[in-house]
Amino acid sequence: MNTLTQWVIDKIRNEYRDDISLLLSVKGHSTDGDGHGEVFDYFIPETERGCSLARTFIIDGVGHDLYPRSWERMENSVTLDEMTMVLSNAEILYARSEKDREKFLDMQKRLCENLADPIFVYRKALERISSALELYRTLAFEERFYRARSEACCIHLYLSQAVAYLNHTFTDSPIFSERQAYVSTEQNSSYHCPQLTAVPDSFFEQAHRILTTKSVCGISEIVHTLIRITRDFVLERKPETRPGSEGSSQGSDYRALADWYQELSLTFRRIRFFCDQNMPEEAFKDACYLQNELIIIAGDFQIGEMNLVDSFSYDSLDGLKLRSQKLEETIRRILSSHGARINEYASLEEFLAANPAGKSEAAQNNQEDESREIPQSDGNFS
């Protein structure tokens, strides 16, 4: 065993036996034989005192960072919410107990299961696209070249991760070229992702342009293209949902669509009213709100495009009214074909008859008290 590794293990055994659960290394995280990741990388503290083992130092020009990573942070790696390599590529150097060892190995197993789950990785890919779009809002107004470059690199990390997840793998590095992706070494594998068997068209070509362009405008244009092609790549690979899973279009889930329609039916009604009254501003506002809702339910229930706002014309609202009516009829027809009943009534009287308010709790208790049999007195109160 490496002398430096042995030093850490001895220190744990002598000073932190009850405070440190695991000491770990991470393969593929070193460069030019610096030993980083192979000697040790991080430890999992069991107590707050265990965190005091953390230290940074330099030996013969090689920096070392012995840092704590809590069990909670490790769970974030299981769910792809934090760096994945520290879990996937980790090897246990020291374990306080077999229970701690098994707990860590179970985390690695669950990470593999998550990466193999098409619904899970699709959801995570969408999250990375959202993160890229959020940062792009900052880049769009950036005027300093060094900041634009840095932001573009962060955005492309999110996009590289989205693509990797749909390949049932991961990357903790932005991938800028085929050479970088596929020509790797065992030492610095953290910079590569050879499992990228499917990528968006021109993905590598566009990403490589980030390294060569010389202007903020050029950076912004490249990133816009990368986001667009990656977003399309992800959306085209939406998996079929499992029965009973979120977003599933099976069986009882159409009850949720019926609930959605009952809530949004008033918006359909308002759009018709605004169209009849020639109120284009109000009609457009409600139509855009309803359009966003239609996009969501069209995706969740796989019922095809539901295009409402293309029919809007400021000069004539007849097209919008007709389109909204047809879309509403489509939704009602889908609900009927799947046996999802719409809770609707012809009048208030009909609703009240079908949904009696019942008696208050106090009145119910009084009635119960009065109904109890009162024993007859024999006149003897002694």
Side-chain angles (χ1 to χ4, degrees), residues 61-72:
V62 177
H64 297 277
D65 180 14
L66 178 60
Y67 69 98
R69 186 175 285 271
S70 67
W71 285 114
E72 290 74 19

PDB file of all heavy atoms in Angstrom, residues 61-72:
ATOM      1  N   GLY A  61       5.636  18.964  -5.193  1.00  0.00           N
ATOM      2  CA  GLY A  61       4.925  19.606  -6.290  1.00  0.00           C
ATOM      3  C   GLY A  61       3.549  19.051  -6.593  1.00  0.00           C
ATOM      4  O   GLY A  61       2.841  19.569  -7.462  1.00  0.00           O
ATOM      5  N   VAL A  62       3.118  17.993  -5.884  1.00  0.00           N
ATOM      6  CA  VAL A  62       1.796  17.393  -6.130  1.00  0.00           C
ATOM      7  C   VAL A  62       0.858  17.781  -4.995  1.00  0.00           C
ATOM      8  O   VAL A  62       1.132  17.489  -3.822  1.00  0.00           O
ATOM      9  CB  VAL A  62       1.893  15.857  -6.242  1.00  0.00           C
ATOM     10  CG1 VAL A  62       0.491  15.255  -6.427  1.00  0.00           C
ATOM     11  CG2 VAL A  62       2.798  15.466  -7.402  1.00  0.00           C
ATOM     12  N   GLY A  63      -0.243  18.440  -5.336  1.00  0.00           N
ATOM     13  CA  GLY A  63      -1.218  18.845  -4.330  1.00  0.00           C
ATOM     14  C   GLY A  63      -2.133  17.697  -3.946  1.00  0.00           C
ATOM     15  O   GLY A  63      -2.520  16.873  -4.779  1.00  0.00           O
ATOM     16  N   HIS A  64      -2.485  17.639  -2.678  1.00  0.00           N
ATOM     17  CA  HIS A  64      -3.393  16.617  -2.162  1.00  0.00           C
ATOM     18  C   HIS A  64      -4.497  17.304  -1.371  1.00  0.00           C
ATOM     19  O   HIS A  64      -4.247  18.240  -0.603  1.00  0.00           O
ATOM     20  CB  HIS A  64      -2.654  15.625  -1.268  1.00  0.00           C
ATOM     21  CG  HIS A  64      -1.596  14.846  -1.989  1.00  0.00           C
ATOM     22  ND1 HIS A  64      -1.880  13.721  -2.726  1.00  0.00           N
ATOM     23  CD2 HIS A  64      -0.248  15.055  -2.095  1.00  0.00           C
ATOM     24  CE1 HIS A  64      -0.759  13.251  -3.254  1.00  0.00           C
ATOM     25  NE2 HIS A  64       0.248  14.040  -2.891  1.00  0.00           N
ATOM     26  N   ASP A  65      -5.722  16.826  -1.561  1.00  0.00           N
ATOM     27  CA  ASP A  65      -6.892  17.375  -0.873  1.00  0.00           C
ATOM     28  C   ASP A  65      -7.644  16.219  -0.234  1.00  0.00           C
ATOM     29  O   ASP A  65      -8.341  15.464  -0.917  1.00  0.00           O
ATOM     30  CB  ASP A  65      -7.777  18.124  -1.868  1.00  0.00           C
ATOM     31  CG  ASP A  65      -9.024  18.725  -1.218  1.00  0.00           C
ATOM     32  OD1 ASP A  65      -9.070  18.782   0.023  1.00  0.00           O
ATOM     33  OD2 ASP A  65      -9.939  19.113  -1.961  1.00  0.00           O
ATOM     34  N   LEU A  66      -7.496  16.061   1.055  1.00  0.00           N
ATOM     35  CA  LEU A  66      -8.215  15.031   1.798  1.00  0.00           C
ATOM     36  C   LEU A  66      -9.453  15.705   2.387  1.00  0.00           C
ATOM     37  O   LEU A  66      -9.352  16.476   3.339  1.00  0.00           O
ATOM     38  CB  LEU A  66      -7.325  14.462   2.902  1.00  0.00           C
ATOM     39  CG  LEU A  66      -7.940  13.396   3.820  1.00  0.00           C
ATOM     40  CD1 LEU A  66      -8.382  12.171   3.025  1.00  0.00           C
ATOM     41  CD2 LEU A  66      -6.953  13.002   4.914  1.00  0.00           C
ATOM     42  N   TYR A  67     -10.598  15.449   1.790  1.00  0.00           N
ATOM     43  CA  TYR A  67     -11.783  16.223   2.150  1.00  0.00           C
ATOM     44  C   TYR A  67     -12.951  15.308   2.515  1.00  0.00           C
ATOM     45  O   TYR A  67     -13.012  14.150   2.085  1.00  0.00           O
ATOM     46  CB  TYR A  67     -12.183  17.145   1.002  1.00  0.00           C
ATOM     47  CG  TYR A  67     -12.715  16.432  -0.225  1.00  0.00           C
ATOM     48  CD1 TYR A  67     -14.087  16.305  -0.439  1.00  0.00           C
ATOM     49  CD2 TYR A  67     -11.846  15.889  -1.176  1.00  0.00           C
ATOM     50  CE1 TYR A  67     -14.583  15.655  -1.560  1.00  0.00           C
ATOM     51  CE2 TYR A  67     -12.334  15.238  -2.289  1.00  0.00           C
ATOM     52  CZ  TYR A  67     -13.702  15.123  -2.475  1.00  0.00           C
ATOM     53  OH  TYR A  67     -14.170  14.461  -3.594  1.00  0.00           O
ATOM     54  N   PRO A  68     -13.904  15.815   3.304  1.00  0.00           N
ATOM     55  CA  PRO A  68     -15.066  15.002   3.698  1.00  0.00           C
ATOM     56  C   PRO A  68     -16.192  15.097   2.677  1.00  0.00           C
ATOM     57  O   PRO A  68     -16.407  16.143   2.060  1.00  0.00           O
ATOM     58  CB  PRO A  68     -15.487  15.629   5.025  1.00  0.00           C
ATOM     59  CG  PRO A  68     -15.097  17.068   4.891  1.00  0.00           C
ATOM     60  CD  PRO A  68     -13.856  17.093   4.031  1.00  0.00           C
ATOM     61  N   ARG A  69     -16.890  14.009   2.488  1.00  0.00           N
ATOM     62  CA  ARG A  69     -18.101  13.979   1.665  1.00  0.00           C
ATOM     63  C   ARG A  69     -19.143  13.177   2.449  1.00  0.00           C
ATOM     64  O   ARG A  69     -18.976  11.981   2.672  1.00  0.00           O
ATOM     65  CB  ARG A  69     -17.806  13.332   0.307  1.00  0.00           C
ATOM     66  CG  ARG A  69     -18.963  13.379  -0.680  1.00  0.00           C
ATOM     67  CD  ARG A  69     -18.554  12.828  -2.035  1.00  0.00           C
ATOM     68  NE  ARG A  69     -17.717  13.753  -2.766  1.00  0.00           N
ATOM     69  CZ  ARG A  69     -18.183  14.689  -3.587  1.00  0.00           C
ATOM     70  NH1 ARG A  69     -19.486  14.820  -3.762  1.00  0.00           N
ATOM     71  NH2 ARG A  69     -17.357  15.478  -4.233  1.00  0.00           N
ATOM     72  N   SER A  70     -20.188  13.819   2.876  1.00  0.00           N
ATOM     73  CA  SER A  70     -21.159  13.196   3.776  1.00  0.00           C
ATOM     74  C   SER A  70     -21.972  12.114   3.057  1.00  0.00           C
ATOM     75  O   SER A  70     -22.031  12.062   1.821  1.00  0.00           O
ATOM     76  CB  SER A  70     -22.116  14.259   4.337  1.00  0.00           C
ATOM     77  OG  SER A  70     -22.930  14.782   3.289  1.00  0.00           O
ATOM     78  N   TRP A  71     -22.620  11.276   3.848  1.00  0.00           N
ATOM     79  CA  TRP A  71     -23.523  10.269   3.276  1.00  0.00           C
ATOM     80  C   TRP A  71     -24.625  10.942   2.465  1.00  0.00           C
ATOM     81  O   TRP A  71     -25.057  10.416   1.439  1.00  0.00           O
ATOM     82  CB  TRP A  71     -24.139   9.423   4.380  1.00  0.00           C
ATOM     83  CG  TRP A  71     -23.221   8.411   5.002  1.00  0.00           C
ATOM     84  CD1 TRP A  71     -22.765   8.394   6.282  1.00  0.00           C
ATOM     85  CD2 TRP A  71     -22.661   7.240   4.369  1.00  0.00           C
ATOM     86  NE1 TRP A  71     -21.954   7.303   6.487  1.00  0.00           N
ATOM     87  CE2 TRP A  71     -21.871   6.573   5.342  1.00  0.00           C
ATOM     88  CE3 TRP A  71     -22.732   6.698   3.092  1.00  0.00           C
ATOM     89  CZ2 TRP A  71     -21.176   5.395   5.061  1.00  0.00           C
ATOM     90  CZ3 TRP A  71     -22.044   5.526   2.813  1.00  0.00           C
ATOM     91  CH2 TRP A  71     -21.280   4.886   3.769  1.00  0.00           C
ATOM     92  N   GLU A  72     -25.082  12.112   2.932  1.00  0.00           N
ATOM     93  CA  GLU A  72     -26.136  12.822   2.202  1.00  0.00           C
ATOM     94  C   GLU A  72     -25.648  13.249   0.814  1.00  0.00           C
ATOM     95  O   GLU A  72     -26.379  13.131  -0.179  1.00  0.00           O
ATOM     96  CB  GLU A  72     -26.591  14.053   3.001  1.00  0.00           C
ATOM     97  CG  GLU A  72     -27.361  13.758   4.272  1.00  0.00           C
ATOM     98  CD  GLU A  72     -26.477  13.240   5.406  1.00  0.00           C
ATOM     99  OE1 GLU A  72     -25.234  13.461   5.328  1.00  0.00           O
ATOM    100  OE2 GLU A  72     -27.010  12.634   6.342  1.00  0.00           O
TER     101      GLU A  72
END
